[in-house]
Amino acid sequence: MRTLVLLLTIGIVDLGIGQHYSQIQWLSHLRRRQWHAGLQAEDADCPLECNCPSAYPTAMYCHSRNLQHVPYVPSHIKYVYLQHNQITGIQDGVFDNATNLVWIVLFHNKLTSDKIGKNVFSKLKNLDRLLLDHNDLTHVPPNLPTSITDLRLGHNKISKLLTSSFEGMANLTTLHLQANDIEDVGGVFKGFKSLTMLDIRKNKLRKIPDNLPVRVQQLYLEFNNIESIPADFLTMYPKLQFVRLAHNKLTDKGLPSNVFNISTLVELDLSFNKLEKIPVVSMNLENLYLQGNKIKEFSMSSFCSAVDMSNFSRLKMLRLDANEINAKDIPAEAAYCLRHVAFIDV
């Protein structure tokens, strides 16, 4: 009794607290009333499991807390950080009070597809970034907001992509699907009108995906089982600037002549394949990676159709190490063709 009187005297406990707060809420209320060394109190609605610093009034930090569920999210919060926890599922309605959320960060948890409600994210009309990488998802969560521009689903267990999973996502600009079990993507990317970066490394693809977004600029396909490139690959996607196809099963037979001779291409990575020849590339190409192949000769015609003062390659980086050629195989006139290259690694 003396303790209660003392608490009431110093103002830590309100007489009406039991009438207005549930058990967890009044505990949170007590915590919020505490102060130390003149520091400002945290947000009055902040859940016990998280921090809501006054310096960042719209952010809620709940990362690395060993959480097994998504805590209550106050209505004014726009950025919620839940990474590095033990969260296995998200029930419908969890975010319904915070419909202004812009970022949800949930990477490095234990999320499974069967424990994510069908409408968990559907009411978040302002959601811009959804980070779900490094979980145990087997498919893309349904009914994702069309407002999302950055979606990260890498390092999961997704084996199949459904067209309905990305329906209406015309604003998506960045999609991470690396390190899954995807064998074929069908035409799921066809409706992406804004996508500029597609990362689908470390999957089980045997061919270049069909119907890629027309505006894609960066395409990462390393560590797959791709054996050949379509002849019209780059002409179909004129915005492509960075193409990475390292660690696949490409051979000379699988590369049509001039398939990479496209002026818009800036960087091409064909390292660690089974090529025996240097493919013909555009004179506008700046970075070419061919290390770890079986290349046996240095062909000038791969870089310059003719060598004179006005015809020379813009190449800056050329890697040919771990092949079957060495420095003496490079002709002296290569210095005129490759005049912008700082050095050739052989």
Side-chain angles (χ1 to χ4, degrees), residues 13 16 27 35 49-50 58 94 110-111 122 187 216 232 263 326 332:
V13 176
L27 284 172
W35 56 273
E49 305 95 325
C50 308
T58 59
V94 167
K110 295 184 178 181
L111 291 171
S122 62
V216 65
D232 57 353
S263 61
N326 52 48

Side-chain angles (χ1 to χ4, degrees), residues 283 300 303-314 333-340:
M283 289 194 294
M300 287 282 295
F303 307 102
C304 298
S305 55
V307 181
D308 54 42
M309 293 301 295
S310 59
N311 289 286
F312 55 89
S313 172
R314 274 70 177 176
E333 56 266 28
Y336 297 99
C337 170
L338 303 175
R339 63 185 69 177
H340 286 299

Side-chain angles (χ1 to χ4, degrees), residues 3-15 17 26-35:
T3 302
L4 179 59
V5 171
L6 177 60
L7 291 174
L8 289 172
T9 301
I10 64 176
I12 293 181
V13 176
D14 292 333
L15 283 172
I17 196 168
W26 70 256
L27 284 172
S28 181
H29 177 80
L30 286 178
R31 184 188 70 125
R32 292 192 302 268
R33 292 287 299 273
Q34 294 175 351
W35 56 273

Side-chain angles (χ1 to χ4, degrees), residues 40-169:
Q40 292 183 345
E42 291 184 339
D43 190 307
D45 292 329
C46 195
L48 282 169
E49 305 95 325
C50 308
N51 287 327
C52 307
S54 57
Y56 305 98
T58 59
M60 189 170 95
Y61 297 93
C62 315
H63 56 286
S64 305
R65 308 295 172 92
N66 202 33
L67 299 181
Q68 297 183 17
H69 68 280
V70 176
Y72 163 79
V73 183
S75 59
H76 68 281
I77 293 297
K78 293 184 178 181
Y79 309 92
V80 60
Y81 299 90
L82 292 157
Q83 68 269 29
H84 292 285
N85 280 297
Q86 305 295 318
I87 300 170
T88 59
I90 314 173
Q91 296 181 349
D92 282 334
V94 167
F95 299 119
D96 285 3
N97 187 57
T99 54
N100 289 321
L101 279 172
V102 177
W103 288 12
I104 297 178
V105 182
L106 273 161
F107 60 80
H108 281 289
N109 273 282
K110 295 184 178 181
L111 291 171
T112 59
S113 293
D114 61 334
K115 293 184 179 180
I116 296 181
K118 293 183 178 180
N119 294 297
V120 165
F121 305 108
S122 62
K123 295 182 180 180
L124 305 179
K125 304 303 182 183
N126 297 311
L127 193 63
D128 183 63
R129 302 184 72 186
L130 179 58
L131 279 58
L132 296 170
D133 33 331
H134 292 277
N135 278 284
D136 295 318
L137 301 177
T138 52
H139 61 259
V140 180
N143 300 314
L144 293 175
T146 58
S147 58
I148 295 177
T149 65
D150 186 353
L151 178 60
R152 306 197 180 194
L153 294 162
H155 299 272
N156 277 283
K157 298 177 181 178
I158 299 170
S159 59
K160 189 175 182 180
L161 299 176
L162 303 176
T163 305
S164 58
S165 298
F166 302 111
E167 189 173 359
M169 300 188 72

